[in-house]
Amino acid sequence: MEIQDLLGLPLIEGIAYINSKGISTRVIETFSPCKKGIFKDNNNFNEPYIIRIREIDNGSIELLISYF
């Protein structure tokens, strides 16, 4: 599996793979437009999914995740 293969996976699965490779991550959250006004603490959100991956440097990546 390559890092780009993680697109569309649930965050939990993606983080497990990334951690097994020893890569550090930074996670940025975004919300679908229909739920923008609702805070995730209300438990109205499903599991977050990885929607974008960006390499920061050789040893770290940035994941953009969204709650649907």
Side-chain angles (χ1 to χ4, degrees), residues 4-67:
Q4 292 302 320
D5 293 336
L6 301 176
L7 286 173
L9 286 180
L11 179 62
I12 293 171
E13 290 178 35
I15 290 291
Y17 176 78
I18 292 167
N19 287 342
S20 73
K21 298 294 181 187
I23 300 170
S24 65
T25 59
R26 181 171 68 177
V27 177
I28 299 173
E29 296 177 319
T30 188
F31 299 92
S32 64
C34 64
K35 295 184 179 180
K36 238 180 192 171
I38 305 170
F39 295 104
K40 70 178 182 177
D41 294 336
N42 292 339
N43 295 322
N44 292 329
F45 291 97
N46 294 322
E47 187 174 2
Y49 287 83
I50 300 170
I51 59 172
R52 187 175 69 195
I53 301 170
R54 185 172 72 127
E55 185 177 2
I56 297 172
D57 57 37
N58 287 337
S60 62
I61 58 174
E62 179 180 90
L63 301 175
L64 179 65
I65 61 166
S66 184
Y67 296 82

